[in-house]
Amino acid sequence: MTEAPFSAATRAARLAALPSEPLDLLVIGGGITGAGIARDAAMRGIRTALIDAGDFAWGTSSRSSRLIHGGLRYLEHGWLRLVFEASRERRTLLRIAPHLVRPRAFVFPAFEGTRLKRWEISAGVWLYDILSLFRNVHAHRLLSRRGVLKREPALRERGLTGGAVYWDAQTDDARLTLATLRSAHQHGAACLSYVRATSLEKADGRVRGAELEDAFTGERFRVHAHVVVNATGPWTDTLRKLDRPDAPPLLRPTKGAHIAVPQKRIGNAGAVTLLSPIDGRVMFILPWGDVTIVGTTDTDDKAGPDDVSATADDVVYLIRSANAIFPDARLGIEDVIAAWAGLRPLLRDDGAGHASDVPREHRLEESPSGLVTIAGGKLTTYRAMAAQVVNLVVRKLRALDRRTLPTHAASALEALPGGEIADIDALIGQMKVEGLDDETATYLVGAYGTEATAVAKLMADDPAMAQRLIDGAPWRAAEVIHQARREMALTVSDVLIRRTHIYHRKPVEGAQAAPLVAALLQRELHWDDARRDASVRAYRAEVDRMRAAFTPASV
């Protein structure tokens, strides 16, 4: 296992060596599925490289509801096998990434006149626990009307008949992806962001590599691999057409949009599962620090994955749904702190009507020329999906040269970086004893796990590193340095959108902090002034684009 840092210097070295390295596997796509494949393959000793055209988790894997869940709503569709698998994977992720995957209780209220009656919710949470083999964090509890209001006093009282509380988990989707990639890197995989596949290379009619382009330098080069896997999520069909221009589409992508609003405006005490009064679909009210996330939509969308955004219609739908359940909130578009949207790479099903009816299953496909594609699936089951892909890769490599490879990886047993801890609260307490205030210690451990001590050491060694990126907020300058050295942060957007989520909680202040972040990256990555300023402009342009998609000019 290599101990090389996961940094810009590592990226440069691996890029330089890649054209001459003999590869068994090239994974195209650095979202959660590709990350899981690279980790599983590297753990089995398969010579692996992974590339992504942008930052890791730039697409769907940083734009989700941030839930690791069995999928309570899937029970309505009869997707019992998926719920069983997802419940098992939830247990695994709680164990191997306890700092990033945290248990969360959800209140599911029942109201008169809604699509699901109180007895149906009761039956659903019973079945949910049965499919988890009664090994969820806690068992569900049925609640009376008074019991629901005791847990969530701001809920609408009119028509409330009772409900239930059940358990799932929340995660930091982008950081979970990043931790998985770093584990793959530790096992020897070359994981490279901002590297795009411009074409697929073939030999004797078989896909045997790709032509790649470095987004920063424009340099192009070829890499050779025995097996190429397409794990590009909503870009799946685009890459398949590089192999076969006439390939029929595999996907029916659906858009999931979310908004963040001040928690104090909604007044939720915890997480709430609700049925939108607009169309009856399941939605969530989710605590996230000092904001509440409201999501998600589930609609067909004509925009491609590069251009998808939360529109005014999406935001109004989410606001109206939240206001109907929390009537004192009285949210308007002006209350929306941030909005984001991603495309779910769902399998095409001509029999499915509404977007919510599209199956969440996944499918493996191998083209006549040997390109392996993984399509569909969900965040929670990424590790199991990855194992299936690598099992196929192993069979292909065995047929090629009769090599012997492990039949499985220890991906369910080995903790992800930062997750090597049994007691999160004990680590927080230890860091407080060493001089950190409660807010800083809690935040750092929640984001970095055991590696929070490395961030704290930067602050202790250089008081300038303790500077807050935003006054009154927990983020510190030391994190930018840590992210550049250990998390391959290469742009201001990498830091402010995906590694800290400052955009999702304080986008205006984040735009003001961008020059400080850029200056820290400039020192660490040896940028000239032009690159520093360009990175600030790129971040501000990205934020402006996302906000302009849903915010009227008058707001």
Coordinates of all heavy atoms in Angstrom, one line a residue, residues 11 32 44 56 67 81 107 189 210 240 246 338 354 363 418 441 535 538:
R11 N -0.7 13.8 -8.7 CA -1.4 13.8 -9.9 C -0.5 14.0 -11.1 O -0.5 13.3 -12.1 CB -2.5 14.9 -10.0 CG -3.2 15.1 -11.3 CD -4.2 16.2 -11.2 NE -4.9 16.4 -12.4 CZ -4.5 17.1 -13.5 NH1 -3.3 17.7 -13.5 NH2 -5.2 17.2 -14.6
I32 N -19.2 8.4 -7.3 CA -19.2 7.4 -6.2 C -19.1 6.0 -6.8 O -18.4 5.1 -6.3 CB -20.4 7.5 -5.3 CG1 -20.3 6.6 -4.1 CG2 -21.7 7.2 -6.1 CD1 -19.2 7.0 -3.2
R44 N -7.8 -5.7 -4.8 CA -7.6 -7.1 -5.3 C -6.3 -7.2 -6.1 O -6.0 -8.3 -6.7 CB -8.7 -7.5 -6.2 CG -10.1 -7.6 -5.6 CD -11.0 -8.4 -6.4 NE -12.4 -7.9 -6.2 CZ -13.5 -8.6 -6.7 NH1 -13.3 -9.7 -7.4 NH2 -14.7 -8.1 -6.6
F56 N -13.4 15.3 -8.8 CA -14.1 14.1 -8.3 C -15.5 14.5 -7.7 O -15.6 15.5 -7.1 CB -13.3 13.4 -7.2 CG -11.9 13.0 -7.7 CD1 -10.8 13.5 -7.0 CD2 -11.7 12.2 -8.8 CE1 -9.5 13.1 -7.4 CE2 -10.4 11.9 -9.2 CZ -9.3 12.3 -8.5
L67 N -28.2 11.2 1.6 CA -28.8 10.2 2.4 C -28.1 8.8 2.1 O -27.9 8.5 0.9 CB -30.3 10.1 2.2 CG -31.1 11.2 2.7 CD1 -32.6 11.0 2.4 CD2 -30.9 11.5 4.2
R81 N -36.0 -6.3 -3.1 CA -34.6 -6.8 -3.1 C -33.6 -5.6 -3.0 O -32.6 -5.6 -2.3 CB -34.3 -7.5 -4.4 CG -32.9 -8.1 -4.5 CD -32.7 -8.9 -5.8 NE -32.8 -8.1 -7.0 CZ -31.7 -7.4 -7.4 NH1 -30.5 -7.5 -6.8 NH2 -31.8 -6.6 -8.5
V107 N -38.9 11.4 11.2 CA -40.3 11.4 11.6 C -41.1 11.4 10.3 O -40.9 12.2 9.4 CB -40.7 12.6 12.4 CG1 -42.2 12.7 12.6 CG2 -40.0 12.6 13.8
A189 N -4.0 2.6 -6.9 CA -4.7 3.1 -8.1 C -4.3 4.5 -8.4 O -4.1 5.3 -7.4 CB -6.2 3.0 -7.9
A210 N -7.7 4.5 -24.1 CA -8.4 5.7 -24.4 C -7.4 6.8 -24.7 O -6.2 6.7 -24.2 CB -9.3 6.2 -23.3
R240 N -20.7 5.8 -24.3 CA -21.1 4.6 -25.1 C -21.0 4.9 -26.6 O -20.7 4.1 -27.4 CB -22.4 4.0 -24.7 CG -22.4 3.4 -23.3 CD -23.8 3.0 -22.8 NE -24.4 1.9 -23.7 CZ -25.5 2.1 -24.4 NH1 -26.1 3.2 -24.5 NH2 -25.9 1.0 -25.1
D246 N -24.1 4.2 -32.9 CA -25.5 3.8 -33.0 C -26.1 3.1 -31.7 O -27.2 2.6 -31.7 CB -25.7 2.9 -34.2 CG -25.0 1.6 -34.0 OD1 -24.0 1.5 -33.2 OD2 -25.3 0.6 -34.8
A338 N -29.2 28.5 -1.1 CA -28.6 27.8 -2.2 C -29.5 26.8 -2.8 O -30.4 26.3 -2.1 CB -27.3 27.2 -1.8
H354 N -44.4 8.0 -14.7 CA -43.8 9.2 -14.0 C -42.3 8.8 -13.7 O -41.9 7.7 -13.5 CB -44.5 9.5 -12.7 CG -44.2 10.8 -12.1 ND1 -43.1 10.9 -11.3 CD2 -44.7 12.0 -12.3 CE1 -43.0 12.2 -10.9 NE2 -43.9 12.9 -11.5
R363 N -27.5 -2.0 -13.9 CA -27.3 -3.0 -14.9 C -25.9 -3.0 -15.4 O -25.3 -1.9 -15.6 CB -28.3 -2.8 -16.1 CG -28.1 -3.9 -17.2 CD -29.0 -3.4 -18.5 NE -30.4 -3.2 -18.1 CZ -31.2 -2.5 -18.9 NH1 -30.8 -2.0 -20.0 NH2 -32.5 -2.4 -18.5
G418 N -9.9 8.3 7.6 CA -10.6 9.1 8.6 C -11.6 8.3 9.4 O -12.0 8.7 10.5
A441 N -13.9 21.5 17.1 CA -13.6 20.1 17.3 C -14.7 19.2 16.7 O -14.4 18.2 16.0 CB -13.5 19.7 18.8
S535 N -9.1 31.3 -11.1 CA -9.8 30.3 -10.2 C -10.9 31.0 -9.4 O -12.0 30.4 -9.2 CB -8.8 29.6 -9.3 OG -9.4 28.4 -8.7
A538 N -13.7 31.7 -11.9 CA -14.4 30.5 -12.3 C -15.4 30.1 -11.2 O -16.5 29.7 -11.4 CB -13.4 29.4 -12.5

